[in-house]
């Protein structure tokens, strides 16, 4: 069925909301939900429902009032009927039936609430002629724990489903999760309104229910909020609710590398005087785009692919929280781990004459998706020389265009991130960029490559003084540290900033490592609920004076300083904290301050006059101004970069296939490309709960039979990946480049059929076996890899059925051990990386048996080896991360010997650096360019 926008004249919407109750907690945001949704539905540019066709029913006094209104509205609709409810949801303790709470409802008198079944029957009334029906429930289950019986929104969705409709249900389990303090709307509806009103980057022209659900699921997961569920009957998922505003405002992108000049934006409103908090202003006018050099014939149209395993619109760079996994549940002892930074010499290229059928299959899938196969065969050497000493891949080997010159404007462009709040962002590019306006006690050394993973003092005078058996970390601050208003930055400001991480009901979405390390029991509730006079009640952090800060851990953690190096550990001045709105204008401790921020348009930073280079050994602060223009189309961003409109991309997954091909085939442009390793390792997991993958020899048969060259091709060849002989990325401590347990390098990536057949005999399956393979349907690279693996395995008698699910569904199913076992998934494709460059961050979620959970599980293989668990504990207790390297090396060997995973490749991005940039190098701490050292040379 082709998606079409419902006829506004023949469609109706009923928006029901209850924000005030006699007995239940109030939900003030619900009232704003109704107004926000009505604005979106009646916006002529989006759907254009006439005002009279969008009925709002706030505070209905009785079930009769709701049903009478619903009956009237439903009978008027002949095209599409939308019914929305927001408020408390209750369940009957006897029947487990869903009730929608009304103003007089309470948990002891269910007869004062509206049974959802009555709503369902009203919509199913044969007199209702609407061809399409959408039901959206935003329910808060504050009484669920007392009433029992309902285990999650899956049951809500199943119970509420109406034949021939689409039902979307929010999964809020607490009042604060549903209605976060300081936010305009409830969490679920707020994301829905934003998607409708602002559009979905890289989404289709019409926002159907399937697209909206995936976008909401991704964004809510990224903010560690309850995840929605959706059920469709027949073609319910194709029902559209609005035009995608991104398409309405997006300029066309030419098929060649000529890029249209951006439409000029209004000039920025003059910024505030130094030291003041800036107001949001209009976007700065983009610089004129120069005419690009002639380009080769256009490549095939670019498919909507992503380099990370994240759905479109998610944080698409290396720390995307949905790197083939949902955000983990909020529980003590669980890590949220999405990505690190490896690199090593590329394996020997086998050359085109040695292609086998597996390579041809992978190429066929990629070509069908529009990905130029020419990229796979380009060499990885530098070759040509460019201007100012720049060469292809030069920034991965050292500093390009070294200079101390100041001045000019450094221009970024890319998708808008989740938040500029240092405690709230889980976007890798923000962790890099935020160092312009934040500082940390320690950070990563401003050096190229692997040297960039070394910890070095920032706000502190030195690395921590560690005592009491590795449980106490003491720092002394540098002298002369100041805020943007010239006031002194003290140890209390650092403590307060870290304390904000505990306020997940207000400042949600950021990493929770420090909470786990300092307060695993979550006894502290955050500064906004802190009853102490100075709001500094977290006992695990002490500030005996303005220049001393002490951290007391309940148990040793040798990687604790890596947690303090994250921007989440940045100071925040209590008097300048605006809670949930802090990301609109963070108060700066770095060399730049916010001059203007216009959401969906741009960000502009200017110099902080109260920052002193003498107190900051990390940041060069070379540009006079830094701008970020938010571009929602990946194709438009690529064209703009190649045309010189901006200097480099903010986040993202590097150049797309079409732009990549154009730049690589142009001798001049090629010199401005780098292919750094991103830190992601692509792999197949072998769930041991599914026979015969519970047999080590059967797993090894798959490993030996795999054609690594075909897998390498599927993920972009030399420019897009590097063959991985082992799981542990090469630049993490403990990685051993000589460790190649299955002879991958020795055999140039070819399968070892003889060894595979030996292992099949050893596992009692000499003729092979059959299993299911779970992959993402919306990632051409992963699908190509699955096809190549399927073909290679078939040659030794292993037959696989490829089950394709879209990103959200695949992530959820792979993260559920019960679902994996039930569906017989013996092979699950995925990827992994670490938030900070240590073995603990990489290994623990993948192989620690104590981290296996019923949902959101990352240990998909079900590794349960006491030796590995013990080695992880010993590594965590090591005095310094580097001293744990031998233990991580042991773990790598134990994982390899057990054949729990089949590593495919280490992922690369093809990135663009403008010829204007100075001091350009890639840092393994950030998986790309080190933003804090960049400068520009104005022509």
């Amino acid at each position: 069925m082709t998606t079409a926008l419902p006829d506004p004249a023949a469609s109706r919407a009923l928006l029901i909301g209850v924000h005030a109750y006699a007995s239940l907690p109030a939900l003030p945001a619900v009232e704003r939900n109704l107004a926000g949704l009505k604005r979106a539905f009646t916006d002529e540019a989006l759907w254009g429902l006439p005002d009279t066709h969008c009925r709002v029913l706030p505070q209905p006094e009785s079930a009769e009032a709701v049903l009478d209104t619903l009956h009237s509205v439903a009978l008027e609709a002949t095209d599409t009927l939308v019914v929305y409810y927001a408020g408390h949801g209750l369940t009957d303790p006897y029947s487990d039936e869903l009730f929608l709470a009304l103003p007089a409802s309470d948990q002891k008198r269910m007869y004062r609430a509206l049974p959802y079944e009555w709503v369902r029957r009203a919509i199913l009334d044969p007199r209702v002629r609407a061809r399409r029906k959408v039901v959206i429930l935003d329910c808060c289950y504050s009484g669920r724990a007392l009433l029992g019986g309902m285990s999650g929104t899956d049951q809500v969705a199943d119970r509420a489903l109406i034949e021939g409709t689409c039902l979307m249900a929010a999964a809020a389990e607490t009042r604060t999760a549903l209605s976060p303090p300081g936010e305009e709307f409830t969490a679920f509806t707020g994301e829905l309104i934003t998607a409708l009103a602002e559009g979905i980057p890289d989404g289709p022209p019409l926002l159907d229910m399937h697209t909206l659900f995936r976008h909401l699921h991704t964004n809510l997961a990224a903010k560690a909020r309850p995840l929605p569920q959706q059920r469709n009957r027949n073609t319910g998922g194709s029902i559209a609710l609005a035009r995608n505003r991104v398409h309405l405002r997006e300029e066309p992108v030419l098929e060649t590398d000529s890029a249209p000049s951006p439409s000029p934006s209004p000039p920025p409103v003059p910024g505030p005087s130094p030291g003041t908090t800036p107001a949001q202003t209009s976007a700065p006018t983009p610089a004129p785009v120069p005419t690009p050099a002639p380009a080769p014939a256009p490549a095939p149209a670019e498919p909507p692919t992503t380099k990370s395993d994240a759905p479109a619109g998610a944080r698409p760079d290396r720390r995307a929280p949905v790197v083939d996994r949902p955000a983990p549940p909020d529980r003590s002892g669980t890590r949220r781990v999405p990505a690190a930074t490896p690199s090593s010499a590329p394996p020997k290229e086998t050359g085109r004459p040695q292609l086998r059928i597996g390579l041809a299959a992978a190429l066929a899938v990629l070509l069908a998706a529009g990905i130029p196969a020419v990229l796979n065969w380009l060499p990885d050497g530098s070759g040509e020389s460019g201007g100012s000493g720049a060469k292809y891949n030069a920034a991965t080997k050292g500093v390009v265009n070294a200079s101390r010159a100041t001045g000019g404007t450094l221009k970024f462009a890319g998708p808008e991130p989740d938040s500029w709040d240092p405690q709230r962002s889980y976007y890798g590019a923000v962790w890099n960029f935020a160092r312009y306006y934040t500082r940390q006690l320690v950070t990563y050394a401003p050096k190229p490559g692997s040297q960039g993973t070394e910890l070095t003092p920032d706000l502190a005078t030195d690395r921590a003084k560690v005592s009491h058996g590795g449980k106490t970390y003491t720092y002394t601050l540098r002298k002369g540290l100041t805020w943007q208003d010239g006031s002194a930055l003290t140890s209390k400001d650092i403590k307060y900033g870290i304390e904000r991480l505990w306020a997940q009901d207000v400042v949600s979405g950021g990493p929770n490592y420090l909470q786990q390390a300092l307060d695993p029991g979550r006894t502290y509730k955050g500064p906004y609920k802190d009853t102490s006079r100075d709001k500094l009640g977290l006992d695990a952090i002490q500030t005996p004076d303005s220049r001393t800060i002490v951290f007391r851990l309940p148990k040793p953690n040798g990687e604790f300083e890596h947690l303090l190096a994250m921007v989440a550990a940045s100071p925040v001045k209590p008097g300048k904290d605006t809670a949930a709105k802090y990301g609109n204008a963070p108060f700066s401790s770095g060399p730049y301050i916010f001059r203007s921020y216009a959401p969906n348009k741009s960000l502009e930073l200017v110099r902080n006059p109260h920052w002193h280079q003498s107190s900051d050994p990390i940041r060069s602060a070379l540009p006079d101004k830094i701008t970020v223009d938010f571009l929602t189309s990946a194709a438009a961003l690529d064209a703009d970069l190649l045309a010189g409109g901006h200097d480099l991309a903010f986040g993202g997954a590097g150049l797309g296939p079409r732009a990549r091909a154009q730049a690589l085939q142009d001798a001049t442009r090629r010199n401005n490309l780098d292919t750094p390793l991103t830190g992601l390792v692509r792999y197949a997991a072998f769930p041991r709960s599914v026979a015969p993958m519970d047999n080590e020899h059967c797993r090894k048969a798959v490993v030996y039979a795999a054609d690594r060259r075909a897998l390498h091709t599927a993920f972009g060849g030399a420019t897009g990946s590097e063959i991985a002989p082992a799981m542990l990325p090469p630049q993490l401590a403990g990685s051993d480049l000589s460790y190649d347990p299955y002879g991958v390098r020795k055999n140039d990536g070819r399968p070892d059929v003889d060894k595979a057949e030996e292992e099949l005999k050893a596992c009692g399956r000499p003729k092979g076996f059959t299993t299911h393979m779970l992959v993402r349907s919306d990632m051409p690279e992963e699908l190509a890899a699955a096809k190549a693996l399927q073909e290679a395995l078939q040659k030794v008698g292993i037959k696989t059925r490829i089950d394709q699910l879209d990103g959200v569904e695949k992530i959820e199913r792979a993260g559920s051990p019960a679902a994996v076992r039930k569906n017989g998934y013996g092979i699950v494709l995925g990827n992994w990386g670490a938030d900070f460059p240590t073995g603990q961050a990489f290994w623990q979620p993948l192989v620690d048996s104590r981290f296996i959970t019923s949902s959101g599980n990352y240990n998909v293989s079900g590794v349960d080896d006491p030796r590995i668990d013990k080695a992880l504990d010993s590594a965590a207790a090591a005095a310094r991360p580097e001293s744990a390297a031998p233990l991580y090396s042991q773990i790598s060997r134990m994982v390899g010997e057990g054949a729990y995973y089949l590593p495919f490749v280490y992922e690369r991005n093809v990135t663009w650096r403008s010829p204007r940039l100075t001091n350009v190098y890639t840092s393994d701490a950030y998986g790309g360019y080190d933003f804090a050292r960049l400068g520009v040379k104005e022509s």
Side-chain angles (χ1 to χ4, degrees):
M1 176 179 178
T2 302
T3 300
L5 192 67
D7 179 5
S11 301
R12 299 292 187 276
L14 175 60
L15 311 180
I16 309 162
V18 181
H19 62 273
Y21 297 84
S23 302
L24 299 173
L27 300 171
V30 167
E31 188 173 18
R32 298 188 287 271
N33 285 359
L34 302 183
L37 273 179
K38 181 165 185 176
R39 283 196 302 271
F41 287 160
T42 57
D43 187 328
E44 292 187 1
L46 302 180
W47 185 6
L49 274 183
D51 190 71
T52 54
H53 290 191
C54 187
R55 295 278 299 276
V56 175
L57 184 61
Q59 297 299 107
E61 291 299 324
S62 64
E64 182 180 8
V66 175
L67 295 173
D68 283 350
T69 306
L70 174 57
H71 179 74
S72 173
V73 170
L75 291 181
E76 295 174 358
T78 56
D79 188 328
T80 298
L81 172 66
V82 178
V83 178
Y84 167 88
Y85 169 83
H88 284 293
L90 306 174
T91 53
D92 189 294
Y94 302 103
S95 68
D96 202 24
E97 183 180 358
L98 172 64
F99 281 71
L100 308 182
L102 301 176
S105 301
D106 65 45
Q107 298 162 359
K108 295 181 180 179
R109 287 177 281 273
M110 297 297 294
Y111 55 82
R112 293 183 178 178
L114 171 63
Y116 178 78
E117 178 63 21
W118 293 6
V119 175
R120 181 177 180 275
R121 292 176 187 176
I123 298 176
L124 280 176
D125 189 320
R127 292 172 293 177
V128 176
R129 297 175 296 157
R131 295 184 296 115
R132 296 173 286 199
K133 308 176 185 73
V134 174
V135 179
I136 303 173
L137 301 178
D138 190 348
C139 298
C140 173
Y141 296 99
S142 60
R144 186 168 66 93
L146 294 174
L147 297 172
M150 181 112 51
S151 62
T153 309
D154 276 338
Q155 294 184 26
V156 177
D158 292 338
R159 190 173 283 103
L161 191 59
I162 300 169
E163 189 69 35
T165 72
C166 172
L167 172 92
M168 191 185 294
E173 297 180 2
T174 65
R175 180 174 61 87
T176 54
L178 176 76
S179 186
E183 297 191 14
E184 183 177 5
F185 306 113
T186 61
F188 168 80
T189 300
E191 295 292 345
L192 175 61
I193 291 172
T194 300
L196 293 172
E198 300 178 3
I200 298 177
D202 297 324
L206 295 180
L207 299 180
D208 56 58
M209 294 302 295
H210 183 68
T211 299
L212 286 167
F213 169 70
R214 289 180 55 196
H215 180 75
L216 266 62
H217 192 288
T218 296
N219 283 11
L220 290 166
K223 298 176 181 178
R225 292 183 173 181
L227 302 179
Q229 295 290 323
Q230 179 165 291
R231 295 289 184 273
N232 299 309
R233 288 288 169 89
N234 300 327
T235 56
S238 66
I239 301 172
L241 290 187
R243 299 178 184 90
N244 190 344
R245 194 182 292 277
V246 169
H247 285 261
L248 301 181
R249 61 174 178 251
E250 185 176 284
E251 296 91 7
V253 180
L254 302 181
E255 289 300 314
T256 67
D257 48 7
S258 294
S261 298
S263 299
S265 302
V269 176
S273 58
T276 63
T277 302
Q280 293 184 11
T281 63
S282 301
T285 305
V289 179
T291 303
E302 182 177 344
T305 64
T306 56
K307 287 292 288 180
S308 70
D309 225 1
R315 293 175 282 264
D317 61 322
R318 72 186 190 91
R319 291 190 175 93
V322 277
V323 182
D324 202 26
R325 54 199 182 272
D330 185 15
R331 62 185 185 278
S332 177
T334 302
R335 292 182 178 275
R336 300 183 61 179
V337 187
T341 33
S343 173
S344 81
K348 179 181 177 182
E349 289 292 318
T350 57
R352 185 174 296 185
Q354 300 175 4
L355 276 174
R356 292 187 181 179
I357 297 176
L359 282 174
L363 288 170
V365 175
L366 292 171
L367 288 169
I371 301 177
V374 67
L375 301 181
N376 301 330
W377 308 111
L378 288 169
D380 194 39
S382 51
E384 306 88 351
S385 61
S388 301
K391 295 181 180 180
Y392 173 67
N393 248 347
T396 66
K397 301 174 175 67
V399 179
V400 175
N401 295 335
S403 173
R404 296 182 180 179
T406 60
T409 299
L410 174 59
K411 297 180 289 185
F412 291 86
E416 186 168 15
D418 52 352
S419 177
W420 301 107
D421 186 329
Q423 275 82 34
R424 198 167 191 174
S425 178
Y426 218 128
Y427 196 97
V430 174
W431 292 2
N432 193 349
F433 185 89
R435 295 176 301 144
Y436 286 131
Y437 56 88
T438 68
R439 296 183 63 181
Q440 297 75 43
L441 283 167
V442 292
T443 189
Y444 293 106
K447 300 177 182 178
S450 60
Q451 298 178 76
T453 63
E454 299 170 4
L455 288 170
T456 189
D458 185 0
L459 291 170
T461 58
D462 205 344
R463 296 275 300 274
K465 178 183 178 182
V466 183
S467 57
H468 297 94
K471 294 193 291 185
T472 300
Y473 285 70
T474 303
Y475 293 93
T476 299
L477 302 191
R478 297 178 188 274
K479 296 180 180 179
L481 300 176
T482 58
W483 288 102
Q484 69 178 61
D485 60 358
S487 59
L489 189 157
T490 70
S491 58
K492 293 182 185 296
D493 298 330
I494 298 172
K495 178 178 180 179
Y496 181 82
I498 294 173
E499 283 184 337
R500 295 178 79 240
L501 291 167
W502 274 254
Q504 288 294 307
D505 55 340
V506 180
V507 184
S508 61
N512 59 6
Y513 294 112
L514 282 165
Q515 294 162 279
Q516 296 163 8
L518 293 169
D519 181 26
R522 304 295 175 88
T523 57
Y524 184 61
K525 302 304 179 184
Y528 308 122
K529 295 180 180 178
D530 195 328
T531 57
S532 62
R533 182 177 58 84
D534 56 5
K535 306 297 183 184
L536 297 172
L538 178 60
D539 293 335
I541 306 178
Q542 298 175 2
T543 54
D545 59 57
S546 63
R547 291 185 55 217
T548 305
I549 187 166
V550 182
F551 298 89
R552 300 193 185 279
L553 283 62
K555 62 180 181 180
N557 185 339
E559 299 183 358
F560 182 68
E561 286 198 282
H562 282 279
L563 311 187
L564 294 176
M566 303 177 82
V567 296
S570 301
V572 171
K573 189 171 184 176
K576 298 295 183 179
D577 182 12
T578 53
K581 297 180 180 180
Y582 188 70
N584 293 336
F587 203 63
S588 177
S589 57
Y592 296 92
I593 62 175
F594 275 49
R595 184 186 184 208
S596 65
Y597 171 45
N600 304 312
K601 293 182 180 179
S602 65
L603 169 68
E604 181 180 348
L605 305 183
V606 295
R607 290 191 181 279
N608 175 4
H610 293 286
W611 172 84
H612 305 292
Q613 182 74 74
S614 60
S615 69
D616 189 342
I618 305 301
R619 298 154 187 81
S620 299
L622 298 179
D624 287 336
K625 186 167 62 174
I626 300 169
T627 63
V628 186
D629 290 326
F630 305 134
L631 300 184
T632 57
S633 165
L637 172 60
D638 288 350
D640 177 84
L641 290 172
L642 296 185
H646 290 83
D647 297 314
L648 73 168
F650 179 84
L655 295 177
R658 187 178 64 209
R660 210 182 306 164
Q662 292 173 353
L664 284 165
Q665 295 176 59
D666 182 298
T668 301
R669 285 176 169 168
R670 189 171 186 270
N671 291 331
N672 293 310
L673 298 179
D674 296 296
T675 60
L677 286 156
T678 66
L680 288 178
V681 56
R682 301 275 186 176
Y683 60 81
F686 304 137
R688 295 167 60 245
S689 61
V690 177
M693 307 312 282
D694 55 341
N695 188 303
E696 176 182 317
H697 295 288
C698 286
R699 299 194 299 270
K700 287 182 176 179
V702 175
V703 176
Y704 278 120
D707 187 339
R708 307 300 181 96
R709 298 170 310 142
L711 295 168
H712 188 212
T713 298
F715 289 109
T719 59
S721 64
E722 177 177 311
I723 291 178
M727 283 290 286
L728 188 62
Q731 288 185 337
L732 292 185
S735 179
D736 182 355
L737 297 180
S738 67
Y739 181 59
D740 186 5
Y742 297 94
V744 174
R745 289 197 173 109
K746 177 183 177 182
N747 295 328
D748 285 334
R750 296 181 182 84
D752 191 332
V753 174
D754 292 340
K755 286 285 185 67
E757 291 175 345
E758 289 177 13
E759 294 295 343
L760 284 173
K761 292 177 182 177
C763 80
R765 305 289 184 111
K767 295 184 179 180
F769 56 85
T770 300
T771 192
H772 290 208
M773 189 187 314
L774 179 60
V775 304
R776 282 185 62 159
S777 61
D778 54 351
M779 290 191 69
E781 299 102 323
E782 183 164 300
L783 183 56
K787 297 281 189 183
L789 182 59
Q790 180 185 53
E791 189 165 327
L793 296 182
Q794 190 169 357
K795 294 177 181 179
V796 297
I798 301 174
K799 298 178 181 179
T800 57
R801 192 186 85 177
I802 298 176
D803 289 358
Q804 303 180 38
L805 297 178
D806 73 16
V808 171
E809 292 177 285
K810 189 254 185 174
I811 291 168
E812 287 185 339
R813 193 167 295 184
S816 168
V820 168
R821 183 172 57 254
K822 176 182 177 182
N823 289 280
Y825 295 133
I827 303 174
V828 178
L829 269 61
N831 62 56
W832 191 256
D835 281 347
F836 46 90
T838 73
Q840 181 186 146
F842 180 82
W843 280 127
Q844 195 163 46
L846 285 179
V847 300
D848 192 328
S849 67
R850 298 159 295 186
F851 279 56
I852 297 175
T853 56
S854 60
S855 63
N857 177 51
Y858 311 151
N859 186 348
V860 177
S861 292
V863 181
D864 185 4
D865 187 334
R867 299 176 305 155
I868 292 178
D869 294 347
K870 182 179 179 180
L872 285 168
D873 289 343
S874 298
R880 296 281 187 178
E882 49 270 24
S883 61
L887 291 164
Y888 295 134
S889 183
Q890 290 177 26
I891 293 171
S892 181
R893 279 170 164 72
M894 287 186 279
V895 171
E897 291 164 4
Y900 301 115
Y901 294 92
L902 162 59
F904 294 164
V905 297
Y906 305 125
E907 184 188 67
R908 293 184 182 275
N909 278 345
V910 180
T911 56
W912 173 265
R913 51 176 153 78
S914 165
R916 294 187 342 121
L917 292 177
T918 63
N919 299 320
V920 194
Y921 61 85
T922 60
S923 167
D924 291 341
Y926 302 102
Y929 303 124
D930 183 348
F931 293 169
R933 305 291 285 190
L934 292 173
V936 292
K937 53 182 180 181
E938 300 286 5
S939 55

